[in-house]
């Protein structure tokens, strides 16, 4: 029992000291530098520059692109509406104008679906259903 205890304490401690020494050597190596030159100069074009004058906020800034006129805006909106109507016609989905029919369908759709689910048998889908 004593031998086992001594072996664990003394040989285990040596293992921890070796790991600690390795970590210390890595830390010392990280602190040393091989750069013998001076500091690297920063880029002179980066960041704000002191021009010695204040900006004049009364001068409007230059725009990035030419602005649309009212006629160009209306022409582009008309083209978008035409494209939208063409897409709607391709889908075949006509706009439903009878809101009462849609409300009635919404009220009946839930209970009808529940009866189909609870019945677990739909004669329209399964002809052998009884």
């Amino acid at each position: 029992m004593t031998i086992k205890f001594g072996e664990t304490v003394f040989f285990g401690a040596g293992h921890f000291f070796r790991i600690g020494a390795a970590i210390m050597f890595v830390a010392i190596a990280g602190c040393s530098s091989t750069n013998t030159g001076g500091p690297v100069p920063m880029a002179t074009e980066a960041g704000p520059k002191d021009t010695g004058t204040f900006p004049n906020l009364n001068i409007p800034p230059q725009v990035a692109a030419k602005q649309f006129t009212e006629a160009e805006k209306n022409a582009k909106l008309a083209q978008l509406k035409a494209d939208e109507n063409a897409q709607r016609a391709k889908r075949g989905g006509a706009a439903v104008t009878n809101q009462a029919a849609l409300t009635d369908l919404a009220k009946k759709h839930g209970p009808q679906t529940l009866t189909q689910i609870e019945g677990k048998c739909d004669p329209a889908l399964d002809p052998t259903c009884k």
Side-chain angles (χ1 to χ4, degrees), residues 32-40:
S32 67
S33 176
T34 59
N35 185 8
T36 57
V40 177

Side-chain angles (χ1 to χ4, degrees), residues 9 22 24 29 41 106 124:
V9 170
M24 185 178 64

Side-chain angles (χ1 to χ4, degrees), residues 84-96:
E84 178 185 10
N85 292 335
Q87 287 293 324
R88 187 175 292 143
K90 282 183 185 177
R91 273 193 314 237
V96 177

Side-chain angles (χ1 to χ4, degrees), residues 28-130:
I28 290 172
C31 291
S32 67
S33 176
T34 59
N35 185 8
T36 57
V40 177
M42 299 261 311
T44 58
E45 291 84 28
K49 295 181 185 67
D50 184 11
T51 60
T53 62
F54 291 103
N56 188 352
L57 300 178
N58 296 321
I59 299 172
Q62 294 178 351
V63 294
K66 186 183 86 157
Q67 302 297 309
F68 288 144
T69 63
E70 196 66 28
E72 289 173 333
K73 180 185 86 164
N74 292 335
K76 289 191 180 293
L77 285 175
Q79 180 64 37
L80 285 174
K81 286 289 183 186
D83 291 343
E84 178 185 10
N85 292 335
Q87 287 293 324
R88 187 175 292 143
K90 282 183 185 177
R91 273 193 314 237
V96 177
T97 57
N98 190 356
Q99 189 65 30
L102 287 176
T103 306
D104 187 43
L105 176 67
K107 287 180 183 176
K108 292 180 180 175
H109 181 69
Q112 287 175 350
T113 304
L114 281 176
T115 55
Q116 288 178 354
I117 292 171
E118 290 170 353
K120 306 229 187 321
C121 182
D122 187 7
L125 297 175
D126 186 11
T128 61
C129 176
K130 295 186 172 95

Side-chain angles (χ1 to χ4, degrees), residues 5-25:
F5 179 73
E7 184 178 311
T8 303
V9 170
F10 292 111
F11 291 119
H15 181 68
F16 287 120
F17 283 124
R18 284 190 294 268
I19 291 174
I23 291 173
M24 185 178 64
F25 286 131

